[in-house]
Amino acid sequence: MSRLPLAPTKSNLLAVKEQLSIAKDGYDLLEQKREILVMELMHMVEKVKLLESDIDKQIEKAYSSLKHMYMAVGTEQVDRLSRSLSYDFKSKENRVVLAGMGFSTIEVEMPEPEPAWSYVNSFADCDKVTVEFFELLRLLTQMASIRTIVWRLAREVQKTQRRVNALDKQVIPQTQETKVYIEGVLEERERENVFVLKNLKSRNGGAL
């Protein structure tokens, strides 16, 4: 590791010591931040796994209901109903804070399902399909928000890890080596000064 290009002076030694102290403090803080980010990331990844399981189950339920509806009322009736129903979905943005970072999440406001049945022509199957697919949409929206958070957390973990590595592998060792070098040079100069003073003293009969 090459040292910093600094002249071996006392002022530079003080500056290097301060820089080394700041670098070590920064390393400790970044390491703590990295650990917190990793914990939050693992927690969110676990939520993704659980949500994926819920989505798989809901997909099975929703498409099973749709299949049953096709069998119960026929393709033409399903197509007619799908064209007659229309819903206005509204979304809102929420802010959450994790590991000191702010994230935006999207929440879909589900409209009330409109009944699609009557006493003459019963379309309760359609209502069930609507409810099941509304729930699937809610879960998918939640998954999209969580995945966005996971992606940003993962990027922040990588960025923090690079900074930790830079301090640990380059900045701190280089600064430490510079500090040792300057201290060595200054100590050598001090010994030379003492030696010169002793020689002058002996030549002057013990007096300077």
Side-chain angles (χ1 to χ4, degrees):
M1 178 65 64
S2 60
R3 63 178 181 269
L4 297 171
L6 295 175
T9 63
K10 290 184 178 180
S11 60
N12 281 339
L13 178 60
L14 291 175
V16 167
K17 286 182 176 180
E18 183 179 1
Q19 182 178 343
L20 183 60
S21 177
I22 293 173
K24 289 181 177 180
D25 289 343
Y27 173 84
D28 292 338
L29 290 173
L30 284 173
E31 184 62 23
Q32 292 175 18
K33 178 183 177 180
R34 187 191 66 82
E35 291 176 358
I36 293 173
L37 286 170
V38 169
M39 289 176 60
E40 289 289 356
L41 178 60
M42 297 306 295
H43 175 68
M44 296 304 294
V45 167
E46 189 62 29
K47 289 184 68 174
V48 167
K49 291 180 180 178
L50 293 174
L51 195 54
E52 283 177 343
S53 177
D54 290 342
I55 288 174
D56 288 340
K57 293 176 183 177
Q58 190 60 33
I59 288 174
E60 181 66 26
K61 289 173 63 178
Y63 280 94
S64 177
S65 297
L66 181 61
K67 180 180 179 181
H68 186 273
M69 182 181 175
Y70 271 116
M71 295 174 63
V73 302
T75 303
E76 291 183 2
Q77 191 70 280
V78 172
D79 291 342
R80 184 183 68 79
L81 285 170
S82 66
R83 289 192 293 270
S84 66
L85 295 175
S86 178
Y87 291 101
D88 183 20
F89 293 93
K90 297 181 180 179
S91 62
K92 64 178 181 179
E93 181 180 352
N94 296 322
R95 294 286 294 175
V96 297
V97 177
L98 295 173
M101 298 176 60
F103 299 93
S104 296
T105 62
I106 301 297
E107 180 182 349
V108 175
E109 297 180 1
M110 298 297 178
E112 288 294 328
E114 298 177 2
W117 58 272
S118 67
Y119 291 109
V120 178
N121 295 313
S122 176
F123 297 134
D125 288 321
C126 176
D127 297 337
K128 184 178 180 181
V129 169
T130 301
V131 171
E132 298 292 0
F133 274 93
F134 272 19
E135 175 62 14
L136 179 58
L137 176 60
R138 185 188 69 80
L139 292 173
L140 289 173
T141 305
Q142 187 178 352
M143 173 65 85
S145 294
I146 293 178
R147 282 188 177 276
T148 300
I149 292 174
V150 168
W151 179 72
R152 283 194 57 196
L153 281 173
R155 286 192 62 184
E156 192 65 24
V157 168
Q158 291 178 342
K159 185 165 63 175
T160 303
Q161 185 63 60
R162 286 196 296 268
R163 291 175 178 175
V164 168
N165 290 340
L167 286 170
D168 184 44
K169 306 298 182 182
Q170 181 176 358
V171 176
I172 292 177
Q174 187 178 50
T175 308
Q176 180 67 38
E177 183 174 339
T178 304
K179 172 179 169 291
V180 172
Y181 164 73
I182 294 177
E183 287 177 338
V185 173
L186 292 178
E187 289 174 2
E188 181 64 27
R189 287 178 182 173
E190 185 66 25
R191 286 193 292 269
E192 290 177 354
N193 289 337
V194 171
F195 178 75
V196 170
L197 288 174
K198 285 183 178 180
N199 283 340
L200 290 175
K201 187 176 180 179
S202 62
R203 290 178 182 178
N204 293 316
L208 290 179

